[in-house]
């Protein structure tokens, strides 16, 4: 018998990186990544040499920004993070407004969904940065974005530096002072908003995307992001809905890297950066026009410049890049481009409209709290945040009335031609917590992964594929995500570190795998059972990230 050959020597394990740079590109669908990856020459081209998972899944049904960001750094599905939506309805809330924003503390009298008192109170689990601080008190946890909800969900409850954009300037939690680098950035933004900026350059390969499409009162498809101080849209919003927003957020991240000496302390630091422009551009112009082409080009180039600054700092850093959810184009262009079934959700599917009809049918006339600010209205017995998704039934009805309303609501939703599936909270709660390949999950399993019995509605409705939950297009809003379908669930997941062999792994993985993978990379011990995800071996060679 031949002597066994010695096992090949494993690559030496690298020492832990000193800085984790976790990047979320808002609404960066796997479809956008597939469409544009051949054109990347900057930061995204560098990441393509890392470990690329083109089929990462935000596995749950509620594919919105707050739930999606809540999975990235916690390793937990929204069912455990408690972040079941951007905005949910709490009909037993003490205040007049019954809607609750995911990162507000609604117990503060000055807080509302439009002007929230920003807080992490609703997040039920710790983030990677918080686990790191527990193991190494010297570790710093930093988070920046255009959006407050991205900062809070990636950073968590204990953030050393947290900044987001609000009406023209970066800001922080109430009472947190703004350091000199933020004040300087804000001065620069103020000057830019007053002066304006010309149209952005169009890469030659954007080609055929430069074509006007009408969506009701608005036309999209040919925008070039002129920043006009005298424009109809406020300059601060023009900047927000443009690649310039990402440039500002990345400038801020780079200046914090220098001022806080991130990656140069005694323990690994975590820098979370959520880039929101991709989402604002997607909502305002759709995903297949000239605007998104320019946005993808700018994102790639701005990330390249940011990574060059990280290189120059001399810090040994690792990058993770993913997204909070995917997206889909506006139905008007979808129909012109091979998806004739695309359409806009019927406004009659709102909870308020359905509730009034059911109240009339059942003869329920007591005045109940309106879903949002306003006087109590007779027959207002069901609330929702738009069309489809969660429906909340008034707790002020008797249990018998509630049961009847639920039955009628389910029947009306099921009878609607735009509705694919309807589940009651009891049915979702009785569904075992899903595991296994997320692309194979049933619709109710997807709903289970973003179900929290204390916050979710009593009925959930999934709209049919390519029915956009936005009854009418308007300026700044022509399409949206949030559906149970894979175009909203599937996002790229990429890990990059200098000196680590790259690879491409097309098998599905989940965004809840990110936190356990990063934890293993930096040697962070997290109690068994804390994560829904698993560690991914992101070294393309025989070395094992998870050992
Ligand atoms: Zn988002």
């Amino acid at each position: 018998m031949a002597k066994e050959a010695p096992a090949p020597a494993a690559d030496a394990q690298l020492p832990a990186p000193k800085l984790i740079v976790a990047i979320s590109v808002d609404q960066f669908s796997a479809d956008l990544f597939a469409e544009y990856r051949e054109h990347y020459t900057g930061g995204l081209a560098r990441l393509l040499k890392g470990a690329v998972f083109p089929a990462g899944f935000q596995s749950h049904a509620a594919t919105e920004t707050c739930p999606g960001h809540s999975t990235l750094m916690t390793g937990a599905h929204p069912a455990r993070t408690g972040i079941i939506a951007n905005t949910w309805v709490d009909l037993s809330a003490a205040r007049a407004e019954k809607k609750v924003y995911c990162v507000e503390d609604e117990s503060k009298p000055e807080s509302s969904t439009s002007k929230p008192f920003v807080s992490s109170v609703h997040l039920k689990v710790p983030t990677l940065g918080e686990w790191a601080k527990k193991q190494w008190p010297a570790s710093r946890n930093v988070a920046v974005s255009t959006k407050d909800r991205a900062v809070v969900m990636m950073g968590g409850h204990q953030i050393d530096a947290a900044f987001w954009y609000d009406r023209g300037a970066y800001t922080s939690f109430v009472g947190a002072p703004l350091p000199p680098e933020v004040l300087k950035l804000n001065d620069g933004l103020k000057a830019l908003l007053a002066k304006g900026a010309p149209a952005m350059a169009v890469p030659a390969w954007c080609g055929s995307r430069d074509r006007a499409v009408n969506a009701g009162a608005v036309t999209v498809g040919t925008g070039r992001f002129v920043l006009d101080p005298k424009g109809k849209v406020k300059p601060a919003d023009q900047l927000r809905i443009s690649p310039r927003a990402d440039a500002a957020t990345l400038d801020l991240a780079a200046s914090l890297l220098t001022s806080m000496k991130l990656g140069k302390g005694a323990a690994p630091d975590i820098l979370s950066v959520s880039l929101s422009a991709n989402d604002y551009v997607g909502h305002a112009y759709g995903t297949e026009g000239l605007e998104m082409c320019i946005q993808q080009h700018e994102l790639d180039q701005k990330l390249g410049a940011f990574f060059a600054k990280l290189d120059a700092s001399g810090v040994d850093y690792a990058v993770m890049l993913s997204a909070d959810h995917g997206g889909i184009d506006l139905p008007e262009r979808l129909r012109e481009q091979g998806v004739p079934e695309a359409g806009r959700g019927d406004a009659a599917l709102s909870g308020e409209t359905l509730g009034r009809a059911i109240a009339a049918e059942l003869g329920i006339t007591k005045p109940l709290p309106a879903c949002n600010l306003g006087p109590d209205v007779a027959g207002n017995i069901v609330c929702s945040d738009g069309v489809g998704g969660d429906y909340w039934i008034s707790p002020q009805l008797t249990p018998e009335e509630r049961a009847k309303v639920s039955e009628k609501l389910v029947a009306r939703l099921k009878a609607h031609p735009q509705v694919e599936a309807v589940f009651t909270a009891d049915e979702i709660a009785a569904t075992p917590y899903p595991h296994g390949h997320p692309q194979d999950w049933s619709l109710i399993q997807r709903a289970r992964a973003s179900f929290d019995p204390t916050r979710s509605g009593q009925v959930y409705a999934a709209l049919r594929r390519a029915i956009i939950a936005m009854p009418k297009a308007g300026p700044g809003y022509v399409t949206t995500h949030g559906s149970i379908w894979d175009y909203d669930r599937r996002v790229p997941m990429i890990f990059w570190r200098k000196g680590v062999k790259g690879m491409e792994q097309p098998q599905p993985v989940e965004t809840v795998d990110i936190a356990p993978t990063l934890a293993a990379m930096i040697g962070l011990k997290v109690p068994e059972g804390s994560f829904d995800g698993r560690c991914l071996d992101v070294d393309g060679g025989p070395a094992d990230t998870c050992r």
Side-chain angles (χ1 to χ4, degrees):
M1 198 170 135
K3 224 170 110 185
E4 269 182 51
D11 278 10
Q13 295 283 129
L14 286 167
K18 297 288 294 187
L19 174 67
I20 295 287
V21 181
I23 302 172
S24 164
V25 177
D26 208 306
Q27 203 189 124
F28 192 18
S29 65
D31 296 329
L32 271 186
F33 177 66
E35 180 174 343
Y36 285 103
R37 61 185 289 178
E38 65 175 303
H39 298 296
Y40 299 143
T41 58
L44 289 166
R46 178 195 298 217
L47 297 188
L48 282 172
K49 297 192 183 109
V52 178
F53 297 86
F57 275 78
Q58 289 278 7
S59 310
H60 52 273
T63 48
E64 293 186 326
T65 297
C66 220
H69 277 99
S70 85
T71 73
L72 294 174
M73 301 300 275
T74 66
H77 293 301
R80 282 177 78 182
T81 67
I83 307 302
I84 57 143
N86 282 348
T87 304
W88 58 84
V89 175
D90 179 1
L91 286 164
S92 59
R95 70 180 184 189
E97 183 176 24
K98 301 304 174 191
K99 291 194 178 177
V100 176
Y101 179 50
C102 61
V103 293
E104 73 164 318
D105 180 353
E106 69 274 22
S107 73
K108 302 282 181 199
E110 66 269 40
S111 190
S112 68
T113 54
S114 55
K115 278 208 173 167
F117 183 97
V118 178
S119 159
S120 61
V121 287
H122 296 306
L123 180 62
K124 293 182 172 178
V125 293
T127 62
L128 191 77
E130 291 175 272
W131 287 118
K133 290 175 84 67
K134 206 168 169 193
Q135 183 162 326
W136 306 291
S139 173
R140 272 89 49 87
N141 182 25
V142 174
V144 293
S145 175
T146 315
K147 295 185 182 180
D148 50 12
R149 54 187 179 274
V151 166
V152 173
M153 288 303 139
M154 291 185 87
H157 314 80
Q158 296 171 273
I159 318 182
D160 296 282
F163 303 105
W164 59 87
Y165 181 85
D166 185 18
R167 294 159 237 236
Y170 282 81
T171 186
S172 190
F173 294 107
V174 170
L178 297 181
E181 57 269 39
V182 176
L183 297 173
K184 195 175 150 209
L185 175 73
N186 286 345
D187 285 345
L189 289 176
K190 202 173 161 189
L192 174 65
L193 293 172
K195 186 166 162 259
M200 292 187 134
V202 177
W205 41 263
C206 286
S208 62
R209 296 177 182 89
D210 190 1
R211 183 175 71 80
V213 174
N214 292 319
V218 286
T219 300
V220 298
T222 61
R224 285 163 165 77
F225 303 111
V226 176
L227 178 55
D228 177 4
K230 296 194 182 77
K232 245 195 311 189
V233 177
K234 281 184 194 144
D237 288 327
Q238 291 181 47
L239 186 140
R240 178 175 57 80
I241 310 171
S242 83
R244 295 182 184 99
D246 288 349
T249 298
L250 285 169
D251 281 351
L252 177 54
S255 64
L256 292 170
L257 173 79
T258 309
S259 65
M260 296 181 75
K261 299 188 172 66
L262 297 176
K264 294 185 175 172
D269 294 321
I270 315 287
L271 171 60
S272 295
V273 182
S274 176
L275 301 172
S276 317
N278 205 73
D279 183 66
Y280 289 127
V281 169
H283 281 300
Y285 306 107
T287 60
E288 302 304 324
L290 182 64
E291 300 91 345
M292 184 57 85
C293 190
I294 296 173
Q295 157 60 22
Q296 282 284 308
H297 171 67
E298 291 288 330
L299 170 71
D300 174 45
Q301 296 303 310
K302 294 295 183 301
L303 280 173
F306 178 60
F307 295 151
K309 287 177 191 170
L310 278 160
D311 293 341
S313 75
V315 170
D316 180 6
Y317 66 100
V319 178
M320 185 290 301
L321 183 141
S322 189
D324 54 343
H325 51 76
I328 189 169
D329 205 12
L330 61 151
E332 290 79 7
R333 189 163 45 209
L334 281 165
R335 284 197 295 267
E336 288 183 4
Q337 299 185 171
V339 189
E341 68 274 26
R344 294 193 172 276
D346 182 357
L349 286 169
S350 84
E352 292 78 350
T353 305
L354 289 164
R356 275 193 293 274
I358 294 166
E361 189 185 341
L362 296 176
I364 298 172
T365 54
K366 38 184 140 170
L368 295 168
C371 304
N372 217 318
L373 285 169
D376 292 1
V377 179
N380 207 332
I381 55 172
V382 179
C383 294
S384 66
D385 187 31
V387 297
D390 279 291
Y391 292 83
W392 289 265
I393 299 172
S394 174
Q396 296 182 3
L397 299 172
T398 66
E400 295 73 30
E401 284 172 328
R402 276 166 66 85
K404 269 192 209 152
V405 171
S406 173
E407 197 181 299
K408 295 284 178 197
L409 181 60
V410 168
R412 280 173 183 262
L413 286 166
K414 278 188 173 167
H416 196 285
Q418 288 187 334
V419 173
E420 174 78 20
V422 183
F423 309 120
T424 65
D426 289 344
E427 290 167 340
I428 299 170
T431 303
Y433 208 69
H435 296 282
H437 277 195
Q439 67 184 15
D440 302 332
W441 290 13
S442 66
L443 297 186
I444 199 166
Q445 285 181 308
R446 300 172 195 191
R448 177 66 185 88
S450 44
F451 175 79
D452 179 323
T454 67
R455 291 178 185 162
S456 294
Q458 285 71 55
V459 172
Y460 174 88
L463 299 184
R464 284 199 201 282
R465 202 187 292 271
I467 299 299
I468 312 300
M470 183 182 284
K472 226 173 109 189
Y477 265 95
V478 301
T479 188
T480 195
H481 46 81
S483 84
I484 206 162
W485 303 107
D486 283 358
Y487 49 77
D488 282 342
R489 297 171 75 221
R490 207 172 40 223
V491 295
M493 273 167 52
I494 308 177
F495 298 82
W496 178 91
R497 190 178 172 196
K498 197 173 166 185
V500 176
K501 286 193 179 76
M503 64 172 193
E504 176 117 358
Q505 178 50 262
Q507 287 302 304
V509 290
E510 295 187 77
T511 56
V512 292
D513 299 336
I514 291 168
T517 303
L518 296 177
M521 214 182 267
I522 56 174
L524 182 62
K525 306 269 180 298
V526 174
E528 190 80 27
S530 301
F531 298 130
D532 288 334
R534 64 193 170 95
C535 175
L536 303 171
D537 178 9
V538 296
D539 183 297
D544 185 350
T545 313
C546 308
R547 196 158 61 207

